[in-house]
């Protein structure tokens, strides 16, 4: 999914690196889920989270595209040594059903690479990316629930006629251990 997005994006705008960060409401943090052209693996999670949260501050109310022509000349950019080579940046909020779920970051190592037309092109890709990301999330959630229902159905079939409590525990343990927790499930 992400490789396809990055490939499509390279057809409409020039970039040296690109990344997608998704926000996790439960932990109130951002996760780098995909990148190209930059080795984020060497960056500390704290730095990535700081950069992600600072990314949000770049967007004024109602704005979902932010273009920084020269990262060293503006106040909006976080001066992190890990991303010092980025000189121009486009950030587009990924929105699903009106809710911000992440940021698409497009980087150039040259000053003044991006104009508003580039931001608009990236935004069009970001909208499609947000839809694809949400569809993937929904598919995984549906698949997870279908698996759970299948397990419950199998459990109901296996235990429907059982009257002995020890046999019931044994069958329940066998079904759950073989489908959900094969290495560590049992009744004490």
């Amino acid at each position: 999914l992400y490789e396809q997005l990055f490939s499509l994006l390279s057809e409409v705008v020039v970039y040296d690196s690109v990344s997608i960060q998704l926000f996790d409401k439960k932990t109130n943090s951002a996760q780098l889920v995909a990148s190209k052209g930059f080795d984020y693996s060497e960056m500390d999670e704290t730095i990535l989270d700081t950069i992600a949260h600072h990314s949000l501050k770049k967007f004024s109310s109602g704005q979902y595209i932010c273009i920084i022509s020269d990262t060293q000349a503006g106040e909006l950019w976080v001066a992190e040594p890990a991303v010092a080579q980025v000189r121009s940046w486009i950030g587009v909020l990924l929105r699903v059903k009106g809710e911000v779920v992440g940021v698409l970051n497009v980087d150039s190592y040259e000053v003044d690479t991006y104009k508003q037309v580039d931001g608009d092109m990236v935004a069009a890709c970001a909208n499609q990316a947000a839809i694809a990301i949400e569809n993937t999330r929904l598919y995984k959630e549906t698949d997870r629930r279908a698996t759970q229902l299948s397990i419950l159905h199998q459990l109901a079939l296996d235990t429907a006629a059982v009257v002995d409590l020890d046999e019931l525990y044994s069958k329940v343990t066998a079904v759950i251990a073989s489908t959900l927790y094969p290495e560590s499930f049992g009744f004490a």
Side-chain angles (χ1 to χ4, degrees):
L1 170 70
Y2 298 115
E3 279 302 315
Q4 289 174 329
L5 169 67
F6 296 156
S7 178
L8 174 65
L9 194 58
S10 71
E11 293 178 22
V12 296
V13 69
V14 174
Y15 64 80
D16 292 303
S17 60
V18 61
S19 64
I20 294 178
Q21 294 169 304
L22 297 180
F23 300 118
D24 184 347
K25 286 184 194 177
K26 293 177 188 172
T27 62
N28 195 30
S29 64
Q31 252 190 326
L32 178 72
V33 295
S35 65
K36 183 177 181 179
F38 187 81
D39 186 11
Y40 286 94
S41 65
E42 296 179 12
M43 291 179 71
D44 182 272
E45 279 297 317
T46 307
I47 293 172
L48 286 172
D49 199 44
T50 301
I51 292 169
H53 281 290
H54 193 75
S55 289
L56 281 179
K57 294 178 184 175
K58 295 175 179 127
F59 299 92
S60 60
S61 181
Q63 181 186 21
Y64 65 97
I65 301 172
C66 182
I67 301 168
I68 300 176
S69 296
D70 185 354
T71 59
Q72 293 181 4
E75 296 177 10
L76 293 175
W77 191 254
V78 176
E80 284 288 342
V83 291
Q85 74 277 21
V86 175
R87 294 301 310 276
S88 295
W89 177 81
I90 298 174
V92 178
L93 294 178
L94 298 172
R95 298 174 300 171
V96 174
K97 299 176 186 169
E99 184 177 332
V100 175
V101 297
V103 177
L104 172 60
N105 301 288
V106 179
D107 311 318
S108 173
Y109 301 162
E110 307 225 357
V111 176
D112 292 324
T113 301
Y114 302 122
K115 308 293 182 229
Q116 186 62 46
V117 66
D118 300 308
D120 293 339
M121 296 296 273
V122 172
C125 289
N127 290 336
Q128 295 302 313
I131 291 167
I133 290 166
E134 178 65 3
N135 286 344
T136 301
R137 186 195 68 76
L138 290 172
Y139 176 80
K140 287 179 181 177
E141 176 67 16
T142 300
D143 188 51
R144 184 184 66 79
R145 288 184 181 183
T147 300
Q148 289 174 338
L149 287 172
S150 175
I151 292 166
L152 288 174
H153 177 71
Q154 184 63 44
L155 191 58
L157 291 175
D158 290 352
T159 60
V162 175
V163 264
D164 179 54
L165 198 52
D166 287 335
E167 186 181 352
L168 177 66
Y169 287 153
S170 176
K171 287 189 181 260
V172 167
T173 300
V175 169
I176 292 176
S178 68
T179 55
L180 295 177
Y181 309 103
E183 296 174 18
S184 61
F185 183 80
F187 289 105

